[in-house]
Amino acid sequence: MDNILVKNILVGISGGIAAYKSAELVRLFKKAGYEVRVCMTAGACEFITPLTLQALSGNPVHSALLDTEAEAGMGHIELARWADLVIIAPATADLMARLRAGMANDLLSTVVLATDAPVHIAPAMNQQMWAHPATQENVAVLQQRHKLHGPAAGEQACGDVGYGRMLEPQEIYDGVIRSFGDRKLSGHRLLITAGPTREPLDPVRYLTNRSSGKMGYAIAEAASAMGAQVVLVSGPTRLSVSNSIKRITIETAEEMLAAVTNEVANADLFIAAAAVSDYRLKSVSSTKMKKNKDSNVLQLDLVENPDVLATTSHANPDLFTVGFAAETNDVIKYASGKLIKKGLDLIVANQVGADKGFDVETNQVDILTADGNHHVLPEMNKSLLAYEILAIICQYYLATDTSDT
Ligand code: CTP
């Protein structure tokens, strides 16, 4: 199984005007909870001070290949081993030429040779230098070894217009996070539930909850981008979905169970991200309910809804099933109880409540597995979190998968 869990990120910076933007890239990785170290070429130190990057990364900056002090602490081989991923931004024409040739004449190029971690490159240079056949030849070779991000077209610091501008830090960051999954789910069929359910009281009223569906939709989109064939059974949301995803819209928990039962035979992996109403009205009024003139208290008789996830998991013991647990307190205790009771392979647990979990842009989750492992993910944007969650699911799901795909 390949190591797709990334904790340590080495940001390499070479000497281009875009080097100042790397400070923001370092900040984005730190904010998302990664351990970050920075390696600068001599040229990079002319554009931005190592002190800035030391302050942002919280670690000493590495720049000299033969520095006795550094070698005693963390030398080039340790640095190469430490990194789970290397991102070089900006990568100049000169650095790319050296990387293509496999040179090891400074710390950054040496680390690239000495690491077995994936190396990502965000080129930045004058448009004429980018278009030069020598650079294009280097790019073609480097693309086979590494993952390139950009460059973008536009106005350049030198006044030229064309390809060569470094991507914005946020674009580089998103591209790196998305690459964690790559096309690992190619040929796999995912069934996902998302959003709230809506349980009618009468023709104009219903019971529901605060789920926006964002997390489930983000997982559906990420899984599709990772090559999976995705069916999304969704309660009412305001979200749109890519054409590559088959969406089945439902309102009630019973309709969700019917849709899932209908689709499950064609699924390899089931992820239940929906916030299903636990109860529905015992008998739904066919006409609009009127206020009770004799009492200011209204009592509703509710009956329990089917558990879509538990029903599906118990009826399909070979299906890899993933649940979510949204809790206001004792998150891990309740989530591990649900993992066992619902017969799941893995559960994604998160705290909900004021400003947390439901109907917000970011989320922080813990992932518990049936074999007792516990992963803690940092708080991040839901669309990126979806890739991280799928990367961890893949680690367990692909290990159990016996299909030919
Ligand atoms: N779930 C489901 N059908 C239900 C209730 C829950 O499929 N009727 C699924 C959810 O999609 C989620 C998991 O079960 O993946 C846990 O949901 P949650 O609401 O946290 O837990 P409940 O089982 O409803 O328990 P409780 O409300 O008591 O915490």
Side-chain angles (χ1 to χ4, degrees):
M1 191 185 355
D2 38 352
N3 176 17
I4 49 177
L5 292 180
V6 173
K7 279 198 220 81
N8 298 337
I9 296 191
L10 180 66
V11 177
I13 307 177
S14 61
I17 184 70
Y20 76 94
K21 291 188 182 175
S22 310
E24 174 62 7
L25 186 61
V26 168
R27 201 189 62 78
L28 288 170
F29 282 119
K30 277 297 281 186
K31 194 171 141 228
Y34 295 97
E35 189 63 26
V36 180
R37 283 180 177 269
V38 176
C39 177
M40 299 173 75
T41 64
C45 300
E46 302 287 331
F47 286 94
I48 180 166
T49 70
L51 202 59
T52 305
L53 294 154
Q54 176 172 325
L56 288 169
S57 68
N59 281 312
V61 168
H62 307 263
S63 50
L65 180 56
L66 301 170
D67 174 344
T68 43
E69 214 169 282
E71 288 289 323
M74 187 175 273
H76 60 282
I77 298 297
E78 283 90 345
L79 197 56
R81 284 195 192 130
W82 172 87
D84 297 319
L85 183 138
V86 179
I87 164 73
I88 304 176
T92 59
D94 171 71
L95 179 69
M96 288 172 70
R98 290 191 287 121
L99 295 182
R100 184 257 168 108
M103 289 174 71
N105 58 342
D106 65 4
L107 183 61
L108 186 52
S109 54
T110 306
V111 166
V112 170
L113 266 192
T115 190
D116 63 0
V119 175
H120 292 237
I121 296 175
M125 65 197 72
N126 165 269
Q127 54 87 22
Q128 197 65 48
M129 292 168 77
W130 173 255
H132 194 284
T135 305
Q136 285 305 306
E137 206 182 288
N138 294 336
V139 167
V141 174
L142 290 173
Q143 258 165 348
Q144 289 165 29
R145 296 183 205 152
H146 308 305
K147 184 156 182 83
L148 266 65
H149 300 268
E155 195 170 338
Q156 304 199 294
C158 55
D160 279 9
V161 177
Y163 276 96
R165 212 165 52 84
M166 189 172 91
L167 292 186
E168 291 305 317
Q170 185 70 52
E171 294 173 299
I172 298 172
Y173 173 84
D174 290 357
V176 168
I177 300 284
R178 292 207 166 97
S179 75
F180 292 171
D182 275 342
R183 307 250 338 141
K184 286 212 158 52
L185 287 172
S186 208
H188 296 269
R189 300 164 303 173
L190 263 70
L191 180 59
I192 301 172
T193 65
T197 61
R198 202 181 254 181
E199 309 297 334
L201 302 182
D202 68 13
V204 293
R205 303 182 180 97
Y206 52 77
L207 292 175
T208 191
N209 58 60
R210 292 182 57 202
S211 166
S212 62
K214 281 182 193 142
M215 196 64 246
Y217 273 61
I219 289 182
E221 293 290 351
S224 172
M226 287 165 71
Q229 205 178 303
V230 180
V231 176
L232 177 66
V233 177
S234 170
T237 73
R238 282 194 235 121
L239 305 172
S240 57
V241 74
S242 303
N243 290 338
S244 57
I245 295 169
K246 175 178 164 189
R247 175 165 59 176
I248 300 169
T249 50
I250 52 85
E251 292 228 337
T252 66
E254 287 179 305
E255 286 167 10
M256 181 173 274
L257 178 61
V260 166
T261 306
N262 210 22
E263 292 290 328
V264 75
N266 297 319
D268 306 307
L269 173 57
F270 177 48
I271 303 178
V276 185
S277 298
D278 289 332
Y279 297 94
R280 67 177 182 280
L281 210 65
K282 196 168 172 191
S283 56
V284 178
S285 170
S286 60
T287 53
K288 188 180 167 205
M289 287 160 64
K290 289 293 175 194
K291 263 192 265 185
N292 187 342
K293 292 186 194 75
D294 307 323
S295 164
N296 59 1
V297 175
L298 170 69
Q299 270 189 328
L300 295 173
D301 278 342
L302 302 178
V303 287
E304 204 172 328
N305 264 329
D307 190 312
V308 181
L309 174 58
T311 310
T312 308
S313 126
H314 291 135
N316 302 275
D318 293 337
L319 183 69
F320 194 98
T321 45
V322 177
F324 273 71
E327 310 290 348
T328 54
N329 57 292
D330 296 314
V331 179
I332 302 302
K333 187 179 106 188
Y334 285 129
S336 48
K338 286 175 190 175
L339 176 77
I340 296 163
K341 192 166 154 228
K342 301 193 187 209
L344 311 179
D345 293 284
L346 192 145
I347 195 157
V348 182
N350 72 310
Q351 181 136 17
V352 288
D355 306 333
K356 273 192 171 164
F358 278 154
D359 208 9
V360 291
E361 293 306 320
T362 63
N363 208 356
Q364 190 279 316
V365 302
D366 283 42
I367 297 182
L368 311 176
T369 72
D371 41 12
N373 289 323
H374 184 170
H375 302 267
V376 183
L377 293 180
E379 177 164 353
M380 63 179 95
N381 172 297
K382 283 182 179 169
S383 71
L384 294 176
L385 184 60
Y387 282 89
E388 293 266 10
I389 290 173
L390 283 172
I392 293 176
I393 291 175
C394 280
Q395 198 188 348
Y396 297 93
Y397 160 67
L398 294 179
T400 61
D401 179 54
T402 48
S403 71
D404 292 332
T405 49

